[in-house]
Amino acid sequence: MHSFAPEILLITILSLVIFSDALANRLKIPSVFILLIGSYIVYRYFKVAVPIDLAQNFSTVILFCIPLIFMGDALHLHFKDIKKHAWSIFYLAVVAVALSIAVGASLSYFDIFAHLSIGAYVALFAINMATDAVSVQSVLSQFKTISHDIKVLIEGESLGNDATAVIAFFFIGLPWMISGDIDAFDASLNALKVFTMSTVIGLGLGYIFYLLMKLYSDKRGELFSFVVEAYIAYVLAEELHISGILTLIVAIVTTKAFIDKGLENTQSKKDKTFLQKLKFGGFLATTQERLEYIYEMAKEFGYISAVIIFFALAEMVDLEKLWEYKYEILTMFVATTLIRAIMMAKFAFLSKSVDSIKPIGARGWFILTFSGMKGALSIILVHTIPESYQYKEMFESVTIGVVVLSIFVYGITLWVYFTFFDEKKDAKNLFKKH
């Protein structure tokens, strides 16, 4: 007797995507709300539709989905936007996240989570400061009054935020939490080493795949090239014990940046320089038309992968446990929200006085604060905590609770704001001119 479990799971996932999109368009609400609720209902009450034991295969499923999720997000960043908002993205994705984790760890002084060490605080806040680009995109795509610039900041912050949170968790928080002690200098040096190696390898892979893409000229081959690049970058980095997510993001963004630059140069009549000839300057890696196809397909791959993660989340949800840890969940949710609001307020203040940062105003602060929804990465990180750790159950319950609350509370807040208070706003006024 053949097992049709993979086929049934695929039917379930695609049907849920179709249903969620159709209902979201009719109700004018973000589809991520319906996906999250639908995934839980199907997994809990229609087990026949999910015949694969996700609990047993959790790690395999997660590792398969990660590259597809981050590939789609990285492809949306354009070279000219990165140049324009480089310092803003760096602050939001690196400085603000590092400061947020440090502020969260300082709460150990008040013992808000009984019996946790300071290393556990670092790990817990690193997990719950990681934002989810898929959830954010699902919510914000419903609203047309958000300017292109603020979308770039949100996308760049979501990607870089994840890389920073991963490094802080795996190379500082987790070792500190497990061992109970850590050398601050060595940990910082190790994190810097991981960041540097991941970036360098990502840059190298990105350039290599950019050159390879000049050897063929069809949209399907180019799409699959990005998929292969994402998986190679992730697997190679993890085998080298550095950050797979950061390496993947840098690789995809690098390839895309060279492609964007190449498309810009085709509009120029200037003679090719030696460096341009060395990069096969006479051959385009792709065209704008084929890129649009790649964007759309990569987005769908990431979306379907996110649904699989939601099924995994449904498997982890235990309502009794969530109720048992309701105090810790609400405390963490309020703390992370306040810390994010403060960091975004600091960014808004800096944007008024620093020339290299575009001013965002109160409206920009509000959108950035509530675009900090959590999701797949938080679930992945908390799952990697060893089973032997005595507070793992609490970590999982708190993280799941914060993920669900952030998606619904932040998402509904943005939906209400844009639907009832901001319908007639002119998006061009978001970024004031110097």
Side-chain angles (χ1 to χ4, degrees):
M1 185 68 178
H2 295 292
S3 172
F4 295 101
E7 290 86 349
I8 294 173
L9 181 59
L10 182 60
I11 291 171
T12 302
I13 290 171
L14 295 181
S15 298
L16 187 58
V17 169
I18 294 169
F19 172 76
S20 299
D21 286 345
L23 191 57
N25 289 332
R26 184 172 292 273
L27 298 177
K28 305 298 181 185
I29 61 174
S31 61
V32 68
F33 296 164
I34 303 171
L35 275 175
L36 193 56
I37 296 173
S39 298
Y40 179 79
I41 292 174
V42 170
Y43 192 86
R44 287 295 177 182
Y45 302 106
F46 300 94
K47 291 289 290 184
V48 67
V50 190
I52 294 178
D53 188 344
L54 291 179
Q56 184 177 350
N57 299 283
F58 188 88
S59 297
T60 301
V61 170
I62 294 298
L63 291 176
F64 176 78
C65 291
I66 287 176
L68 294 178
I69 291 174
F70 285 95
M71 178 194 74
D73 297 330
L75 279 172
H76 279 83
L77 287 176
H78 296 275
F79 180 62
K80 62 180 180 181
D81 291 327
I82 295 175
K83 287 197 303 181
K84 182 178 180 181
H85 299 292
W87 287 111
S88 298
I89 293 174
F90 177 77
Y91 173 83
L92 292 171
V94 180
V95 178
V97 179
L99 288 175
S100 297
I101 295 172
V103 171
S106 70
L107 295 179
S108 62
Y109 177 79
F110 301 100
D111 200 29
I112 60 174
F113 299 113
H115 310 302
L116 290 187
S117 65
I118 187 171
Y121 274 83
V122 172
L124 187 59
F125 275 89
I127 291 170
N128 288 280
M129 283 298 176
T131 56
D132 182 61
V134 174
S135 299
V136 173
Q137 287 297 328
S138 175
V139 173
L140 297 184
S141 63
Q142 297 286 323
F143 313 120
K144 307 304 180 185
T145 60
I146 303 178
S147 75
H148 174 72
D149 287 321
I150 200 69
K151 286 182 178 179
V152 169
L153 290 184
I154 292 171
E155 290 171 355
E157 189 256 345
S158 295
L159 284 170
N161 171 306
D162 290 347
T164 304
V166 165
I167 292 175
F169 174 76
F170 280 115
F171 299 98
I172 298 177
L174 188 60
W176 195 352
M177 179 177 75
I178 299 302
S179 67
D181 190 24
I182 195 172
D183 186 298
F185 178 77
D186 287 344
S188 300
L189 193 63
N190 192 33
L192 181 60
K193 175 185 173 183
V194 168
F195 179 84
T196 303
M197 288 183 64
S198 300
T199 302
V200 170
I201 292 175
L203 289 170
L205 285 173
Y207 183 67
I208 289 170
F209 272 87
Y210 164 68
L211 295 180
L212 289 175
M213 287 179 66
K214 295 194 173 207
L215 301 179
Y216 37 88
S217 301
D218 65 278
K219 58 186 181 183
R220 185 167 59 186
E222 291 161 3
L223 169 65
F224 290 163
S225 180
F226 275 116
V227 174
V228 171
E229 178 182 2
Y231 277 103
I232 287 179
Y234 183 77
V235 172
L236 176 62
E238 290 297 316
E239 286 294 324
L240 294 174
H241 302 292
I242 55 178
S243 175
I245 290 177
L246 178 57
T247 306
L248 184 161
I249 292 171
V250 172
I252 298 296
V253 169
T254 299
T255 301
K256 180 63 168 42
F258 277 114
I259 289 173
D260 289 342
K261 194 67 176 175
L263 291 175
E264 289 177 10
N265 289 338
T266 58
Q267 300 173 0
S268 173
K269 300 286 186 179
K270 295 180 181 179
D271 293 333
K272 295 286 187 296
T273 64
F274 173 75
L275 184 59
Q276 288 173 319
K277 291 177 181 178
L278 190 64
K279 294 188 297 183
F280 307 119
F283 301 92
L284 281 176
T286 188
T287 64
Q288 192 60 48
E289 181 181 317
R290 298 203 296 268
L291 269 181
E292 294 301 326
Y293 165 83
I294 293 170
Y295 292 154
E296 191 61 34
M297 293 304 297
K299 177 182 175 182
E300 297 306 321
F301 284 165
Y303 197 64
I304 291 172
S305 298
V307 177
I308 297 175
I309 299 293
F310 284 147
F311 274 122
L313 174 61
E315 188 277 327
M316 296 174 67
V317 170
D318 184 328
L319 295 180
E320 291 184 2
K321 291 296 181 185
L322 293 181
W323 182 252
E324 180 182 343
Y325 290 102
K326 58 184 180 296
Y327 166 78
E328 289 84 356
I329 292 170
L330 289 174
T331 300
M332 175 57 72
F333 177 70
V334 171
T336 52
T337 300
L338 289 176
I339 291 172
R340 183 175 178 86
I342 292 170
M343 291 303 158
M344 294 307 150
K346 185 176 181 181
F347 175 68
F349 175 78
L350 286 175
S351 69
K352 293 181 180 180
S353 54
V354 179
D355 292 338
S356 58
I357 298 178
K358 298 283 185 180
I360 61 171
R363 183 172 179 264
W365 165 81
F366 180 85
I367 296 171
L368 285 170
T369 296
F370 288 100
S371 63
M373 283 160 272
K374 316 303 184 288
L377 185 60
S378 295
I379 301 302
I380 293 165
L381 293 180
V382 77
H383 179 73
T384 62
I385 296 175
E387 293 294 334
S388 59
Y389 183 63
Q390 60 180 326
Y391 298 114
K392 181 172 183 178
E393 182 182 275
M394 188 272 279
F395 270 60
E396 286 186 336
S397 298
V398 167
T399 301
I400 292 168
V402 170
V403 167
V404 174
L405 281 175
S406 68
I407 289 175
F408 283 102
V409 175
Y410 291 2
I412 291 173
T413 300
L414 289 173
W415 179 78
V416 169
Y417 173 73
F418 285 109
T419 302
F420 299 104
F421 299 100
D422 199 54
E423 288 182 302
K424 299 179 182 179
K425 292 275 186 184
D426 183 2
K428 294 181 180 179
N429 291 330
L430 178 60
F431 278 82
K432 303 172 185 177
K433 296 183 178 180
H434 289 286

Short mmCIF file of all heavy atoms in Angstrom, two decimals, residues 48 240 424:
data_model
loop_
_atom_site.label_atom_id
_atom_site.label_comp_id
_atom_site.label_asym_id
_atom_site.label_seq_id
_atom_site.Cartn_x
_atom_site.Cartn_y
_atom_site.Cartn_z
N VAL A 48 -6.24 14.16 9.42
CA VAL A 48 -6.10 13.40 8.19
C VAL A 48 -5.52 14.26 7.07
O VAL A 48 -4.91 13.75 6.12
CB VAL A 48 -7.47 12.81 7.76
CG1 VAL A 48 -8.44 13.94 7.35
CG2 VAL A 48 -7.31 11.81 6.62
N LEU A 240 30.27 25.30 8.32
CA LEU A 240 31.45 26.00 8.81
C LEU A 240 31.21 26.60 10.20
O LEU A 240 32.08 27.31 10.73
CB LEU A 240 31.83 27.11 7.83
CG LEU A 240 32.32 26.66 6.45
CD1 LEU A 240 32.52 27.87 5.53
CD2 LEU A 240 33.61 25.86 6.56
N LYS A 424 -6.89 58.46 3.68
CA LYS A 424 -6.71 59.57 2.75
C LYS A 424 -5.36 60.25 2.89
O LYS A 424 -5.12 61.29 2.30
CB LYS A 424 -7.83 60.60 2.97
CG LYS A 424 -9.22 60.01 2.71
CD LYS A 424 -10.31 61.05 2.95
CE LYS A 424 -11.69 60.45 2.72
NZ LYS A 424 -12.77 61.44 2.96
#
